[in-house]
């Protein structure tokens, strides 16, 4: 009978092997491991050290969604930055490799931990996030309007792996990116959401 450790190791192997997008070919097995690990190792954001563990840069390696902005493939890095200590988060799509810092498509959000697993997400602005030139970060971000409540349920969390469910029911499996700095990627100035412009916000 599989143990939580063996289930986790198999899931990690599927997410890592074959490069970005390879896990899509094992979607059925990934779903099985996903649900099994949720039952065996449920996250608890109220536990000591959990929020520090949540904080950082994570890369999406598989999702159950067919939406283009939630795609996983060799041509794109789909990153999610979570900083509960600052009340901030950001989704960032960018090219892999040395071209990554040159330009990315970002959606910034205010986040708040509401329960032992749920994180409230309030999207605030999105657009182009460019490279840093000296002390200046090139960016073109406009305020977005969030027409519906959004949240992220963190169902499994450890130093390497995060499993979660979005407000639309999408399953997400992410791996930590310890090589990337959340402070280097987040815009220096948090969004000011008082004057929203028209435009839909993506799923958390």
């Amino acid at each position: 009978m599989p143990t939580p450790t063996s289930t986790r190791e198999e899931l990690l192997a599927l997410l890592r092997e074959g490069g970005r997008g390879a896990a899509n070919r094992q979607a059925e097995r990934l779903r099985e491991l996903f649900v099994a690990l949720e039952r065996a190792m449920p996250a608890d954001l109220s536990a000591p050290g959990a929020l520090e563990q949540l904080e950082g840069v994570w890369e999406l390696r598989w999702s159950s969604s067919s939406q283009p902005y939630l795609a996983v493939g060799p041509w794109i890095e789909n990153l999610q930055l979570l900083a509960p200590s600052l009340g901030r988060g950001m989704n960032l799509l960018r090219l892999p490799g040395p071209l990554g810092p040159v330009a990315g498509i970002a959606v910034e959000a205010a986040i708040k931990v509401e329960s032992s697993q749920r994180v409230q997400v309030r999207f605030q602005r999105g657009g182009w996030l460019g490279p840093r030139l000296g002390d200046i970060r090139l960016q073109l971000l406009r305020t977005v309007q969030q027409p519906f409540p959004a949240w992220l349920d963190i169902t499994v969390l450890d130093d390497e792996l995060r499993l979660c469910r979005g407000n639309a029911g999408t399953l997400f499996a992410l791996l930590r990116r310890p090589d990337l700095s959340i402070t280097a990627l987040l815009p220096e100035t948090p969004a000011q959401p008082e004057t929203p412009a028209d435009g839909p916000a993506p799923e958390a």
Side-chain angles (χ1 to χ4, degrees), residues 58-125:
W58 300 83
E59 181 176 355
L60 182 66
R61 301 294 290 197
W62 176 78
S63 86
S64 63
S65 175
S66 59
Q67 295 294 332
Y69 60 87
L70 294 176
V72 179
W75 59 87
I76 199 76
E77 281 185 338
N78 197 326
L79 304 177
Q80 187 176 84
L81 289 66
L82 293 178
S85 64
L86 303 174
R88 300 176 66 190
M90 187 172 73
N91 293 331
L92 176 63
L93 294 175
R94 68 178 198 173
L95 296 174
L99 293 178
V102 175
I105 303 300
V107 180
E108 192 179 358
I111 63 173
K112 180 182 179 182
V113 176
E114 291 190 320
S115 68
S116 61
Q117 291 195 339
R118 180 155 295 184
V119 177
Q120 181 191 77
V121 180
R122 183 160 49 90
F123 294 105
Q124 296 182 322
R125 61 181 180 175

Side-chain angles (χ1 to χ4, degrees), residues 126-176:
W128 174 71
L129 192 63
R132 187 184 301 276
L133 299 178
D135 295 332
I136 300 175
R137 180 72 175 272
L138 300 180
Q139 60 187 47
L140 182 60
L141 302 173
R142 68 190 296 260
T143 305
V144 297
Q145 185 177 17
Q146 181 171 307
F148 50 82
W151 63 83
L152 200 59
D153 284 340
I154 312 298
T155 58
V156 174
L157 176 65
D158 62 36
D159 289 336
E160 298 177 276
L161 175 68
R162 176 162 61 89
L163 304 183
C164 44
R165 294 174 179 261
N167 53 272
T170 303
L171 310 183
F172 301 98
L174 303 96
L175 298 180
R176 187 182 298 277

